[in-house]
Amino acid sequence: MQPQPSQNTNDSKSPDLQSINAIQDSVSRINEAVEKEDVEGVLREMRSGKSSSTIQERACVGIWKMTRNEDTLAKFGKGGAIELILEAMKNHSGFHGVQMHGSGALRNLAEDDDNYAKIRSSNAVELIRLAMQNHSSKVLLRRYCEDALARIV
């Protein structure tokens, strides 16, 4: 399944031009990090852009893409990706792109045994089910969530 952009245009607050530019710059850095398979680069942007649903969504897409490569699964798990994704899903519950791509990223991360154990012992299942409930009209989100639950539960 290919990640689909949600076209989030809203962030936590109505952004000014400087904020929009900062978000665009961060998204560009995420995209560059994904191209280079720079795990820490993606996580750094995710940590620094916690208040932006756009940054969180794009970081989740990056993690989703990069975790199809076995080498990066453990790196993301050890780097704190699971906790960052769960935090993003909790803090941006109204943004379906964060929920959809966060669920997809968690599904892929769960392919690693250590990551699976972390995800199972977290509130991931609860957050994924809540995403399905809150965004019940979003068919693709539902599919990502169902795939994640099938792997995690």
Side-chain angles (χ1 to χ4, degrees):
M1 193 171 3
Q2 281 287 45
Q4 301 293 315
S6 71
Q7 298 178 353
N8 276 348
T9 56
N10 295 327
D11 278 294
S12 298
K13 299 175 185 169
S14 196
D16 59 19
L17 186 57
Q18 186 175 9
S19 296
I20 292 170
N21 288 336
I23 290 167
Q24 289 174 336
D25 290 345
S26 183
V27 168
S28 293
R29 287 189 297 272
I30 291 167
N31 292 338
E32 290 171 14
V34 171
E35 283 182 33
K36 296 176 183 175
E37 294 196 13
D38 176 9
V39 169
E40 187 49 47
V42 173
L43 295 177
R44 183 175 39 255
E45 292 303 319
M46 195 170 194
R47 283 185 192 98
S48 67
K50 287 184 178 184
S51 65
S52 168
S53 60
T54 302
I55 292 170
Q56 296 304 298
E57 176 186 6
R58 296 313 303 165
C60 287
V61 168
I63 294 168
W64 183 90
K65 286 180 176 181
M66 290 174 67
T67 52
R68 292 186 282 173
N69 174 345
E70 286 184 29
D71 295 337
T72 60
L73 285 170
K75 289 179 185 176
F76 272 118
K78 291 176 183 169
I82 294 163
E83 297 81 0
L84 287 168
I85 293 166
L86 295 173
E87 184 179 357
M89 290 178 71
K90 179 181 175 189
N91 293 339
H92 299 282
S93 61
F95 294 95
H96 78 276
V98 174
Q99 304 305 305
M100 181 169 67
H101 297 299
S103 295
L106 289 171
R107 187 260 173 255
N108 284 2
L109 285 164
E111 292 295 328
D112 176 86
D113 290 341
D114 291 336
N115 291 345
Y116 176 81
K118 279 186 192 177
I119 293 167
R120 282 290 293 154
S121 66
S122 72
N123 62 341
V125 170
E126 176 187 334
L127 288 172
I128 293 168
R129 287 185 175 148
L130 187 60
M132 291 173 68
Q133 179 183 339
N134 290 343
H135 303 279
S136 59
S137 67
K138 304 293 184 185
V139 176
L140 191 55
L141 176 141
R142 185 169 194 82
R143 184 170 167 199
Y144 276 55
C145 290
E146 288 170 350
D147 285 350
L149 290 173
R151 174 63 185 114
I152 296 167
V153 176

